Amino acid sequence: MIIAGLVNNPAGKDGVRDRDNILEKNSLEAFVSESRSYEDQFVFTYNPRNPDSIFDCYVNYEFRENGKTLKSDNKEFYGNVSTENPIVLEFPRKKDSTYELETTIKDKSGINLYKNKTEIRSSTVGNDSNPVLN
């Protein structure tokens, strides 16, 4: 199971919803993701599930705002990834926009270590000011 956390900091009147879905069942799920939402940016952190693991890996991602790709990268290399040296991706954030991030992490031989799709959108339900994880 992929663990995803979303912290809306600072909490405003709009809540944030995060949906973290595994896209591929044959992924080794060797990473755990954490998402943080700030007033003007998102920070996504990927740590090895096993705290003793160290990986050399490639990251593919596509970050979209309201369906439009803002940033993407194909096969960005990260060496010596560990809990002390995690993969960190940062993106801009605007109020009242919907965001999607598709991420794949592969080892040097092409084996999927992690793959997911995360959707983050402003809450439109009542006074829900706390983040909701789906």
Side-chain angles (χ1 to χ4, degrees):
M1 170 178 239
I2 305 287
I3 299 171
L6 180 66
V7 178
N8 188 17
N9 185 11
K13 66 179 181 177
D14 292 331
V16 176
R17 295 187 185 271
D18 179 71
R19 190 177 343 178
D20 195 3
N21 298 310
I22 298 172
L23 294 177
E24 194 168 298
K25 296 281 185 190
N26 65 355
S27 175
L28 293 179
E29 300 179 32
F31 282 83
V32 176
S33 67
E34 179 180 316
S35 306
R36 294 190 182 267
S37 175
Y38 300 95
E39 189 172 319
D40 63 347
Q41 74 173 351
F42 294 110
V43 178
F44 297 90
T45 305
Y46 302 91
N47 283 294
R49 181 174 299 281
N50 179 341
D52 298 325
S53 295
I54 297 176
F55 293 98
D56 288 334
C57 52
Y58 293 95
V59 177
N60 299 326
Y61 66 85
E62 183 175 8
F63 183 74
R64 293 182 292 274
E65 177 185 64
N66 299 323
K68 180 182 176 185
T69 299
L70 291 183
K71 190 171 182 184
S72 64
D73 206 341
N74 189 22
K75 287 192 167 185
E76 183 173 341
F77 180 75
Y78 287 82
N80 297 314
V81 177
S82 65
T83 55
E84 293 82 24
N85 184 36
I87 297 167
V88 178
L89 303 176
E90 297 181 26
F91 303 103
R93 176 184 182 206
K94 295 179 189 170
K95 188 176 178 178
D96 298 325
S97 292
T98 300
Y99 296 92
E100 294 175 79
L101 175 63
E102 288 189 46
T103 309
T104 304
I105 302 173
K106 295 184 179 191
D107 71 5
K108 287 183 172 184
S109 65
I111 295 173
N112 282 332
L113 301 174
Y114 176 86
K115 189 168 186 174
N116 79 354
K117 179 178 180 179
T118 302
E119 180 182 281
I120 304 167
R121 54 190 162 88
S122 295
S123 175
T124 57
V125 180
N127 293 327
D128 183 14
S129 63
N130 294 322
V132 177
L133 299 177
N134 292 329

